[in-house]
Amino acid sequence: MILETKGLTKRFGGLTAVNQMDIGVEKNKLTAIIGPNGAGKSTLFNLMSGYYPVSQGQVLYKNEDITKRKPHQVAKLGIARTFQSTKLFENATVFDNLIIGNRLRTKSNVLDTIFRTPRLRKEEALSRKKAEEVLAFVGLLDRKDQLIADISQEAKKRIAIALALATGPEIVFLDEPAAGVNPEETDGLAQLIRKMINTGLTVCLIEHKMKMVMELADHVIVINYGKKIAEGKPEDIRQNPAVIEAYLGGGS
Ligand code: ADP
Ligand code: MG
């Protein structure tokens, strides 16, 4: 396992959003995390990527305890994530969003970004090269000079993925990457995610669109009320009575 959680728990006051969660993510596979709204899926991502302090338990990356790392430290270790709703700068270009986003994800100190030292200028050249590379990967290089305000929802979803890829990760967490796009566009995004796996990345996917999950996942983890209630291959999960009861609502 490239990533594991052990007894991972998050409490918000009286609510236990993630409760004694033990999961494992296998290298170069797609692990899907499914469950009803409010199940604790996004909270799990926030814990594993350092965005929320953990109440109890551990996060292990390549057998190293990363439970207390800050988001930019986690990013440097090779873990990237998208957000359920990605905040993009609407009046900046696609390309500039990549540059700014990359800085925000990998730097702890905003002053670094403001006072541009020679070292930083060198980094910036690298960052521009990386931005072009990831925009090409997600199929947006020809739209790099367009303003965010002028591009489609689907293109914004691709940018969210590009932002994650720009940090040079080994593992990428995608939080509902196909929310709010039509079925055709969803297929296109599924192909992009498949391409990520094919280039050697490990992907952890939260998604409600079951067709996409069933097509892409090697392993599915089902959570409800912060607890893991089932896991297995997509075809097994589909037939698991507890899962049908909790989530699929009788076979959707
Ligand atoms: P999911 O992504 O599975 O829909 P979330 O992880 O977003 O669910 O939320 C799980 C539970 O934790 C919900 O009851 C939600 O209201 C609560 N929760 C999530 N984030 C916070 C927060 N920052 N503060 C308080 N409660 C939160
Ligand atoms: Mg969520």
Side-chain angles (χ1 to χ4, degrees):
M1 296 292 170
I2 186 168
L3 185 86
E4 282 175 282
T5 68
K6 292 195 192 297
L8 196 64
T9 299
K10 180 65 182 178
R11 295 185 206 94
F12 295 111
L15 173 84
T16 307
V18 172
N19 196 353
Q20 292 289 328
M21 189 78 74
D22 297 316
I23 68 164
V25 174
E26 210 177 323
K27 193 174 158 67
N28 196 210
K29 299 274 195 241
L30 191 138
T31 301
I33 296 169
I34 67 170
N37 280 325
K41 305 180 298 295
S42 295
T43 302
L44 183 60
F45 272 12
N46 285 327
L47 295 174
M48 296 195 299
S49 53
Y51 281 82
Y52 285 167
V54 165
S55 301
Q56 216 177 300
Q58 284 180 307
V59 182
L60 303 175
Y61 179 59
K62 297 179 176 173
N63 295 318
E64 184 189 346
D65 189 333
I66 63 158
T67 314
K68 297 211 165 115
R69 308 266 178 147
K70 299 272 175 273
H72 70 276
Q73 296 172 322
V74 174
K76 276 200 179 129
L77 286 172
I79 301 175
R81 51 95 48 98
T82 66
F83 294 86
Q84 210 168 328
S85 58
T86 302
K87 289 183 191 69
L88 298 170
F89 299 94
E90 291 283 317
N91 295 314
T93 64
V94 169
F95 186 77
D96 286 344
N97 267 269
L98 258 293
I99 301 294
I100 304 161
N102 192 239
R103 282 238 171 276
L104 294 176
R105 277 168 178 70
T106 54
K107 295 277 178 282
S108 55
N109 191 348
V110 185
L111 294 179
D112 264 3
T113 316
I114 298 168
F115 299 108
R116 303 179 48 190
T117 62
R119 180 179 60 84
L120 274 170
R121 276 199 292 275
K122 195 175 155 201
E123 268 180 31
E124 203 166 87
L126 272 176
S127 158
R128 299 180 81 81
K129 193 162 163 264
K130 193 74 194 170
E132 296 216 339
E133 185 188 312
V134 296
L135 284 173
F137 187 88
V138 303
L140 288 178
L141 194 53
D142 57 342
R143 278 175 271 178
K144 77 179 172 72
D145 297 321
Q146 290 187 14
L147 296 181
I148 296 294
D150 295 336
I151 64 169
S152 68
Q153 181 63 20
E154 187 252 359
K156 288 180 189 172
K157 295 286 179 185
R158 287 176 185 268
I159 293 172
I161 294 175
L163 279 165
L165 295 177
T167 62
E170 283 187 58
I171 175 165
V172 185
F173 303 157
L174 301 174
D175 196 346
E176 299 193 27
V181 306
N182 72 36
E184 239 170 81
E185 293 169 335
T186 299
D187 287 342
L189 290 168
Q191 280 171 28
L192 173 58
I193 296 168
R194 171 59 58 207
K195 190 164 90 170
M196 289 165 65
I197 297 289
N198 290 343
T199 56
L201 287 165
T202 303
V203 176
C204 208
L205 170 74
I206 294 174
E207 187 50 64
H208 281 299
K209 293 184 173 170
M210 289 313 292
K211 179 170 172 274
M212 186 182 201
V213 169
M214 293 297 159
E215 280 171 9
L216 287 175
D218 297 293
H219 188 74
V220 182
I221 295 169
V222 189
I223 71 177
N224 199 10
Y225 298 110
K227 286 237 175 218
K228 184 170 75 181
I229 60 165
E231 67 180 314
K233 289 186 168 38
E235 56 269 28
D236 299 334
I237 288 303
R238 190 185 250 145
Q239 288 156 17
N240 183 310
V243 176
I244 293 166
E245 170 79 27
Y247 184 61
L248 299 175
S252 67

